[in-house]
């Protein structure tokens, strides 16, 4: 049975509701269910509309009682019979059977008795004028205004209407509180309206100056916020229950809120909007006049106590009036709009599918901790979420839960909207205009699977098709922005921003824009999705929402096109010289309006001109491509969060730019176009910065360990990991961790890594951020190897756990290495290749990497590597027999069998080894060219591996040598003489062939060195030899240089001996002497040549005493240097082999290897203590790494994920050098402050001594 709420509708609304009823009735029939497909919804909706138009003889529908009994059982049975009768008939190829049946029923079967029974049942549901009907303030689609409760955001600034005022006065009389309560100094807390606060200019200056003096009296804004928080918290114990947010968060919210209002007093309208926005953010608090007075007095007492007479009485009076104004505004907004916004928030959660998604998460256990805390906590959590959504403050200084996306790419597929409207996949032009529907939401998946509209987006598309409005593309632009509009309806600034961007996007579409059409479809969709909850209050609330949006949207429609043309002509007419003068004027104006901006714009003049040029280009691009520009501006704003640029500077910069443009053109259209676009860009930037400026990002900018830890302590335990990994604004996101690394704040990054990878536990669950870390940043290892190598040991240390309890001399060790082994797609992760690329022997000897590499080597790679090298060994043996052993046998005893065997061996080497080498080298060179992995050596382009790796050039040389041997093969030259390698034809190639054979034999044996990887110890020895070979080369170079020097010198003399008769003989004789091949008899012959004998003696001393001993010293030093790292280098070599071998192994074998590790199985921390998954557990000797501390931090108390972790006493950074210096600095500042306040030197000295003693005690 179809569930439908009883209500009375007329006209188009009644027709749409009846069509929806018929659709659900047909859908519920088992016989017809198989005819429903996703692609027929649009045609089916149009067919039902055409069919129902015939009711009431084609005239406009009267008032009809819509409900579950709209059609009686006979009418429903007749409807099903008619449809079944039609769908059973043969249908033309490609035509939908159910759509055809509905069309036939409306055209050819109008006179059928069963169809007439349907119409009669609908006519009986019509409500006569005499019958009572349910009251409805605003019928859907009526287009008329609301009654007394139709209040727009603009009326909020002028006060409520008479009816609201009477209700407020009655409520105030019942509460016993007057509408105006005079404060002690004559100021009043006005709760009747929210008017503009007007103060004299001199008083505004004094107020702003006094407030700055108050803030500057503290060492930092954070300390000022904490002092303000403490004063408010201690003002009365009855209000302490209102302080729910962490102190670090709430203190800065208090300070920033008051600071923004005071700094905006010179712009009363802006101050009013700020109070309005803050008022919506405080809807969840019971703000009353007595509480406003308490808070005001506490703040004033704090200001007086801190700065005393430095703030004038006039400034104090202005601050009081400002606080009264803000408090009264909070109360006014709460009493006027609280209930309406709650209705919108709660109903939108249901209609948009958020409520269903939250329920699914609860079933998965994500909210189990809150459920254990009892219904009260859960209810309060729901209310808090609703209130935050109503207030439009999705961040509010805290990191809220967001969809973790990073500018999701648009997929060119047929979406639900495309299928519903019969459109094909969007092309590039459609994408640029934003005409495609969004996919990927959970409700959208349900729609795709079942064909039933379950969310507002899908129901809106269905109803638009039923009402014949599916061709209005502008409606889908509004639909794409509607979620943001609804969630931020309480923030007029944000709604205006969404409306302005929406106007730009609609301007790119063709066709008339009629807001009333969207309103009708919107209300029809909401009624269908909220049949049980919909009532007149919902009708009023949603009409009020759309009236506000429509007012803002209509005011800008039609203007963007003219503005774009005017601004394009102006910017195109600017010459380079005029642009430079323009940029100079911009910064001159800006620095005059905001002198503090000079402290942030420190770049060169050319860089500043480049920034100004980009700003002017963005104003035009905002008109041309608004959708992409909003995404780009959001990304730019998130980068400015990391830069720490104050948002107060954006206003003066925009003002300066507009003033400069107005000074160079008299065209008001150009000035308006430029100012409107730049203002919109500024608003998006400021909003992005404000929403992205979480306390974690602010702490990172200070690079303070203490501040980062303090900020993280405020995070709920269930969201603590994401506070450090994701800040999302719109479709753009930034990672605090990655920002801290790229900005060089490595101290902050180290704290984040340590906090993220610390295992914490309560009674219900373990919290460990390794999964979140690698899901958010799969390339985190690469990022660290390239920009923050010092963080790698910190991360590795936290990815293993050792038990402090040893059993039978063995200790449990858990290595959480899943993400270092396998990526999200199940492939071999890129972590080990990146670590090997570092070539840092100290990193690869970390216990985590040692176990990971050894596990992959022994269980997966070893056999494949051994098989590949056995083939090399077999080829070498065959080559050795053919070129050495059999060749010698052939010379000693020439036999046919030996010659045939030698020929067969050589041919097997050529056919198997040579052709395999040719294929593999060619294949790799081709892939390297495709991937662009080419480097130039001299003028020769070579693949990277030929230069970077030892193995590849040797294989290339071996390939070339085998090819050379093949073309000089004596057996081929003697083929006409039979199977022999000795014939006249081969005499000319025998010597070159022998030389090539010797070199090839050497290359084969060099490649055999790879077998050393089977043993880490042997590999270390080989690598040590490789590291000291450069020293030997330098020594040989010195020997050669010395031989040439002395040889040429002796040859130039007059004394002539047989061994030194010329240059070449002198060099060869000195070479024999250096290599100890020169005999004593030959030395005796030199006695007759005294000068030659003297030169030889000098040569021997230089070579033997100096160069050779220097070589020994160098080899010794080089060995000592590399000795401690040789095992690390051996492991790097093994990791390289692993990374090169894995791609050649079938993927199914790697998958099987990973499955056998059972990484999804949770590891124990102790007997019966089931811990975390994602690793392997091994037992090691207890004496290997003795420890008596458990690295798991366990906590009692509440187990709710919404709760923060208790403050940690064992702070590992509490005694760091930075903290000690900070405490010393505070001690000195405190002593100097007291010294300045004491009248005598004696008192000052005693005060300093006592303060120093107190600080020393604290340090101890």
């Amino acid at each position: 049975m179809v569930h439908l709420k009883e209500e009375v509708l007329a006209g188009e609304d009644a027709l749409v509701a009846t069509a929806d009823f018929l659709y659900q009735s047909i859908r519920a029939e088992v016989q017809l269910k198989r005819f429903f497909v996703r692609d027929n919804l649009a045609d089916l909706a149009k067919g039902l509309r055409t069919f129902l138009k015939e009711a009431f003889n084609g005239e406009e529908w009267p008032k009809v009682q819509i409900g579950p009994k709209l059609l009686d059982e006979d009418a429903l049975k007749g409807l099903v019979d008619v449809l079944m009768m039609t769908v059973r008939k043969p249908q033309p190829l490609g035509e939908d059977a159910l759509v055809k049946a509905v069309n036939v029923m409306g055209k050819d079967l109008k006179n059928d008795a069963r169809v007439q029974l349907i119409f009669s049942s609908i006519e009986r549901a019509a409500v006569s004028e005499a019958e009572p009907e349910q009251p409805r303030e605003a019928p859907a689609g009526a287009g008329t205004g609301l009654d007394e409760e139709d209040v727009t955001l603009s009326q909020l600034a002028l006060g409520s209407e008479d009816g609201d005022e009477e209700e407020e006065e009655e409520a105030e009389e019942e509460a016993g509180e007057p509408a105006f309560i005079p404060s002690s100094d004559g100021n009043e807390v006005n709760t009747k309206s929210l008017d503009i606060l007007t103060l004299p200019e001199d008083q505004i200056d004094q107020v702003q100056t006094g407030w700055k003096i108050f803030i500057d009296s503290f060492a930092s804004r954070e300390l000022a916020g904490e002092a303000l928080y403490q004063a408010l918290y201690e003002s009365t114990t009855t209000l302490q229950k209102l302080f729910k947010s962490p102190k670090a968060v709430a203190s800065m919210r208090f300070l920033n809120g008051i600071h923004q209002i005071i700094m905006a007093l010179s712009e009363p309208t802006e101050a009013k909007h700020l109070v309005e926005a803050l008022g919506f953010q405080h809807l969840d608090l019971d703000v009353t006049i007595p509480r406003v007075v308490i808070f005001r007095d506490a703040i004033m007492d704090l200001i007086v106590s801190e700065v005393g007479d430095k703030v004038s009485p006039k400034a104090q009076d202005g601050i009081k009036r400002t606080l009264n104004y803000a408090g009264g505004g909070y109360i006014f907004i709460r009493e006027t709009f609280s209930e309406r916004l709650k209705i919108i928030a709660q109903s939108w959660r249901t209609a948009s599918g958020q409520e269903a998604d939250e329920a699914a998460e609860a079933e998965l256990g994500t909210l189990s901790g809150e459920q254990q805390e009892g219904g009260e906590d859960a209810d309060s959590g729901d209310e808090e979420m609703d209130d935050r959504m109503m207030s439009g403050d999705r961040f509010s200084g805290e990191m809220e839960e967001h969809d973790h996306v990073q500018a999701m790419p648009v997929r060119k597929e047929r979406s639900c909207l495309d299928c519903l409207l019969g459109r094909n996949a969007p092309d590039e032009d459609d994408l640029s205009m934003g005409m495609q529907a969004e996919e990927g939401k959970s409700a959208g998946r349900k729609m795709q699977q079942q064909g039933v509209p379950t969310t507002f987006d899908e129901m809106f598309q269905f109803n638009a098709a039923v009402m014949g409005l599916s061709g209005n593309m502008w409606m889908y632009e509004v639909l794409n922005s509607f979620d943001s509009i609804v969630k931020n309806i309480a923030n007029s600034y944000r709604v205006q921003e969404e409306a302005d961007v929406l106007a730009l996007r609609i301007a790119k579409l063709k066709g008339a824009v009629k807001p009333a059409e969207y309103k009708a479809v919107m209300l029809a969709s909401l009624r269908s999705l909220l049949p049980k909850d919909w009532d007149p209050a919902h009708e009023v609330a949603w009409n009020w929402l759309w009236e506000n949006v429509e007012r803002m949207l209509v005011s800008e429609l039609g203007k963007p096109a003219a503005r774009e043309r005017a601004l394009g002509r102006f910017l195109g007419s600017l010459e380079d010289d005029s642009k430079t003068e323009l940029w100079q004027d911009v910064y001159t104006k800006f620095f005059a309006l905001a002198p503090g901006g000079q402290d942030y714009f420190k770049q060169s003049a050319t860089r500043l001109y480049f920034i100004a040029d980009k700003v002017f280009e963005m104003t035009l691009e905002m008109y041309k491509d608004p959708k992409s520009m909003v995404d780009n501006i959001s990304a730019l704003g998130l980068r400015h969060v990391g830069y720490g640029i104050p948002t107060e500077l954006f206003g003066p910069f925009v003002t300066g730019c507009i003033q400069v443009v107005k000074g160079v053109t008299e065209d008001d259209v150009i000035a308006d176009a430029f100012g409107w676009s730049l203002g919109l860009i500024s608003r998006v930037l400021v909003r992005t910065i404000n929403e992205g400026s979480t306390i974690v990002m602010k702490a990172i900018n200070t690079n303070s360990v203490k501040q980062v830890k303090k900020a993280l302590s405020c995070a709920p335990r269930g969201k603590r990991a994401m506070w450090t990994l994701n800040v999302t604004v719109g479709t753009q996101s930034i990672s605090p961790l990655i920002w801290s690394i790229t900005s060089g704040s490595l101290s902050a990054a180290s704290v984040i890594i340590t906090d993220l990878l610390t295992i914490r536990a309560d009674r219900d669950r373990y919290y460990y951020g390794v999964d979140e870390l690698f899901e958010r940043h799969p390339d985190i290892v690469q990022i660290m190897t390239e920009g923050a190598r010092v963080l790698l040991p910190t991360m590795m240390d936290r990815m293993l756990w050792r038990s402090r309890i040893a059993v039978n001399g063995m200790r449990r060790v858990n290595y959480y290495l899943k993400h270092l082994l396998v990526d999200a797609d199940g492939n071999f992760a890129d972590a080990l290749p990146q670590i090997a690329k570092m070539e840092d022997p100290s990193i690869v000897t970390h216990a985590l990497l040692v176990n990971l590499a050894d596990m992959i080597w022994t269980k997966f790679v070893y056999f494949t590597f051994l098989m590949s090298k056995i083939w090399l060994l077999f080829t070498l043996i065959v080559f050795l027999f053919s070129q050495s052993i059999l060749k010698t046998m052939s010379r000693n005893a020439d036999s046919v069998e030996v010659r045939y065997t030698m020929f067969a061996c050589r041919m097997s080497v050529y056919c198997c080894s040579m052709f395999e080498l040719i294929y593999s080298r060619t294949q790799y060179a081709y892939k390297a060219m495709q991937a662009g992995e080419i480097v130039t050596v001299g003028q020769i382009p070579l693949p990277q591996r030929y230069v970077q790796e030892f193995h590849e050039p040797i294989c290339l040389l071996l390939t070339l040598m085998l090819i050379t041997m093949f073309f000089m093969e004596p057996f081929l030259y003697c083929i006409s003489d039979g199977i022999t390698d000795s014939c006249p034809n081969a005499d000319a190639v025998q010597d070159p062939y022998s030389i090539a054979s010797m070199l090839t034999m050497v290359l084969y044996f060099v490649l055999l060195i790879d077998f050393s990887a089977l043993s880490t110890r042997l590999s270390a020895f080989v690598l040590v030899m490789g590291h000291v070979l450069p020293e030997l080369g330098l020594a040989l170079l010195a020997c050669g240089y010395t031989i040439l020097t002395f040889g040429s010198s002796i040859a130039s003399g007059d004394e002539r001996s047989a061994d030194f008769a010329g240059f070449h003989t002198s060099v060869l004789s000195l070479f024999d002497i250096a290599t100890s091949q020169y005999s004593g008899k030959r030395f005796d012959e030199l006695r007759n040549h005294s000068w030659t004998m003297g030169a030889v003696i000098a040569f021997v001393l230089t070579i033997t005493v100096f160069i050779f001993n220097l070589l020994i010293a160098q080899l010794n030093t080089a060995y000592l240097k590399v000795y401690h790292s040789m095992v690390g280098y051996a492991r790097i070599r093994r990791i390289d082999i692993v990374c090169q071998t894995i791609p050649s192994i079938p993927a199914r074998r790697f998958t099987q290897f990973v499955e056998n590790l059972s990484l999804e199985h949770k590891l124990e921390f102790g007997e019966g203590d089931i811990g975390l998954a994602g690793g392997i557990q091994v037992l090691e000797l207890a004496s290997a790494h003795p420890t008596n501390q458990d690295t798991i931090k366990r906590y009692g108390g509440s187990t709710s994920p919404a709760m923060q972790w208790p403050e940690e006493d064992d702070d590992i950074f509490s005694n760091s050098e930075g903290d000690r210096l900070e405490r010393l600095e505070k001690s000195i500042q405190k002593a100097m402050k007291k010294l300045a306040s004491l009248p005598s030197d004696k008192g000052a000295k005693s005060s300093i001594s006592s303060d120093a003693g107190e600080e020393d005690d604290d340090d101890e």
Side-chain angles (χ1 to χ4, degrees), residues 22-41 44-45 48 83 87 96-99 102 448-453 462:
L22 291 182
Y23 171 79
Q24 296 185 49
S25 301
I26 297 171
R27 179 72 188 178
E29 286 295 329
V30 178
Q31 304 175 65
L32 295 170
K33 206 165 188 176
R34 60 190 178 92
F35 296 102
F36 277 87
V37 293
R38 194 165 68 102
D39 291 342
N40 70 1
L41 291 180
L44 182 60
L48 290 174
L83 292 175
V87 297
D96 187 275
L98 187 58
V99 173
V102 172
Q448 295 171 9
Q449 295 171 359
Q450 302 176 4
V452 179
F462 178 82

Side-chain angles (χ1 to χ4, degrees), residues 706-735:
K706 184 176 181 181
Q707 292 295 330
V708 175
K709 289 180 66 63
K710 186 176 182 180
L712 291 176
S713 66
C714 302
R717 61 186 66 176
K719 299 179 182 179
R720 185 158 176 154
M722 296 314 302
W723 273 39
T724 63
L725 295 173
N726 192 36
V727 176
T728 303
V729 179
T731 59
Q732 303 296 319
S733 66
I734 189 173
S735 168

Side-chain angles (χ1 to χ4, degrees), residues 523 545 555 648 934 986 1054 1089 1160 1228:
L523 292 174
L545 179 146
S555 65
E648 291 84 358
I934 301 296
D1054 292 334
H1089 306 280
E1160 302 303 325
I1228 295 174

